[in-house]
């Protein structure tokens, strides 16, 4: 009886919400695939690794770059053991040093002692990623403290030519990273970047490459370097009148997105496993713990963003033992936590509006449209367990192929007597929303959509009991 009352409450609460039929921004095919990448490595490596700096001045002698045992296959092995699906490397940081023998610079691996000037880090990493089945991405800093042309129109040409080299010799490039930092060059001048020309170059030469900058065009910065997305996180952003760097929207806007933003530009959370972006021996004991990494995962991927986790190789050119140990344990925590979806076992689903009591599409681990449920007019659904289960984590996924719909939801947890024991409120769901709470004996979980832009398409609802230590803090 009580269960019926609860159902009626859900129904009455949601019956009168208008189901608006309107077009909203939707992701491009490449972006939908990007969302599924979830988490991947960032590699900061270059002269700073050897000078103990974070921002080199661009006047470092090339010979300083001399890794003793560089092995990109080791990076790939660690990334895979850590569950990461790709690697993005700083091919050129602000000091201008190119990790490939660019014809448009004299400050490159070619001028260094490493492998007698015959080495090419981009070549080695692109091959290793390819071999290991990881996506390969490249960061090139527009800000260049070495290049003599920096601060003149000629430099825009140089930057375009460098991108051409990268696409031609090391492609396919999955993601290209444009850092927004923009300071003076060696001549004291600042550069006026030709962003539209840069964008056109990528579109023409490598149309499948996804471009990251503060404001996209395909992926946006999350507004902080702590790896934390907004609890409200829209994949939409308004970019008219904004540029990367100083011309970007406020960090708060980047963190949350714009509810009615015209473009699909999801957030990527960049954060380092150590305090710095580059390797420093003094930080060997400051590597984030597996639990801290799990918390970051909850606050990035668990809020619908992607996680770009920086793991800087040391002076040997290897990922340090402390980092790899933490990463392997992090992956262990992740796979253990999400190994057993309690909603799959012995549970029955209900969708009150059509009386169906089974909806396998909600826990088949597929996000494809055919498997999703469109909640029209009645914005509620849920899981009824055959027997009561102790849970402290619920994962909800929204099918984003037609856009991001849900703006407000409630999770209702009922005990075995079907009394409401707790109500958890949230705003956006997005690609994945991971909600943790104190362990609760639940007989039924209800999901009510209170506010939405178009009918929400819930692809999955999963329930877990994770280690208490891991619940979001
Ligand atoms: C910033 C840079 O200034 C840092 O050195 C680092 O590369 C970070 C990912 O982006 O803008």
């Amino acid at each position: 009886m009580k269960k019926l009352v609860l159902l009626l409450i859900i129904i009455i609460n949601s019956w009168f919400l208008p189901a608006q039929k309107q077009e909203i921004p939707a992701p491009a095919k490449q972006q939908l695939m990007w969302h599924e990448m979830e988490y991947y490595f960032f590699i900061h490596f270059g002269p700073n690794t050897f000078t103990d700096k974070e921002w080199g001045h661009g006047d470092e002698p090339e010979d300083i770059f001399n890794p003793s045992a560089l092995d990109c296959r080791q990076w790939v092995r660690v990334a895979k053991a850590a569950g990461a699906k790709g690697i993005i490397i700083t091919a050129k940081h602000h000091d201008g040093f190119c990790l490939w023998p660019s014809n448009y610079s004299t400050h490159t691996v070619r001028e260094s002692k490493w492998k007698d000037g015959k080495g090419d880090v981009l070549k080695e990493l692109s091959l290793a990623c390819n071999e290991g089945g990881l996506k390969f991405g490249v960061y090139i800093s527009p800000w260049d403290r070495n290049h003599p042309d920096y601060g003149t129109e000629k430099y825009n040409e140089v930057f375009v030519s460098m991108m051409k080299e990268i696409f031609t010799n090391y492609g396919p490039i999955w993601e290209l990273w444009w850092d927004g930092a923009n300071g003076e060059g060696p001549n004291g001048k600042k550069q006026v970047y030709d962003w539209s020309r840069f964008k056109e170059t990528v579109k023409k030469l490598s149309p499948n490459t996804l471009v990251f900058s503060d404001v996209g065009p395909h992926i946006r910065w999350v507004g902080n370097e702590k790896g934390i997305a907004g609890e409200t996180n829209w994949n939409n952003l308004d970019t008219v009148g904004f540029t990367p760097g100083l011309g970007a929207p406020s960090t708060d806007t980047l963190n949350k997105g714009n509810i009615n933003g015209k473009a699909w530009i999801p957030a990527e959370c960049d954060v380092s496993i150590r305090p710095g972006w580059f390797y420093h021996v003094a930080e060997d004991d400051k590597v984030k713990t597996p639990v801290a990494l799990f918390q970051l995962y909850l606050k990035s991927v668990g809020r619908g963003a992607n996680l770009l986790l920086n793991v800087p190789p040391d002076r040997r050119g290897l990922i340090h033992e402390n980092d790899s140990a933490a990463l392997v344990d992090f992956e262990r925590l992740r796979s253990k936590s999400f190994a057993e979806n309690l909603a799959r076992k012995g549970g029955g689903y209900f969708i009150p509006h059509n009386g169906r009591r089974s909806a396998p599409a909600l826990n088949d681990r597929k996000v494809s449209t055919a498997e999703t449920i469109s909640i029209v007019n009645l914005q509620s659904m849920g899981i009824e367990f055959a027997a009561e289960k102790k849970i402290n984590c619920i994962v909800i996924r929204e099918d984003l192929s037609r856009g991001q719909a849900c703006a407000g939801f409630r999770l209702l947890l009922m005990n075995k007597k079907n009394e409401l024991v707790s109500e958890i409120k949230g705003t956006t769901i997005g690609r994945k929303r991971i909600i943790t709470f104190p362990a609760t004996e639940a007989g039924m979980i209800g999901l009510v959509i209170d506010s939405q832009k178009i009918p929400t398409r819930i692809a999955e609802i999963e329930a877990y009991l994770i280690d208490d230590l891991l619940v979001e803090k």
Side-chain angles (χ1 to χ4, degrees), residues 42 44 54-55 93-94 139 177 179 181 225 270 277:
F42 211 178
H44 275 66
E54 278 293 311
W55 279 7
H93 201 250
H94 310 326
Y139 162 121
W177 229 83
D179 196 307
E225 292 182 336
D270 58 321
W277 290 102

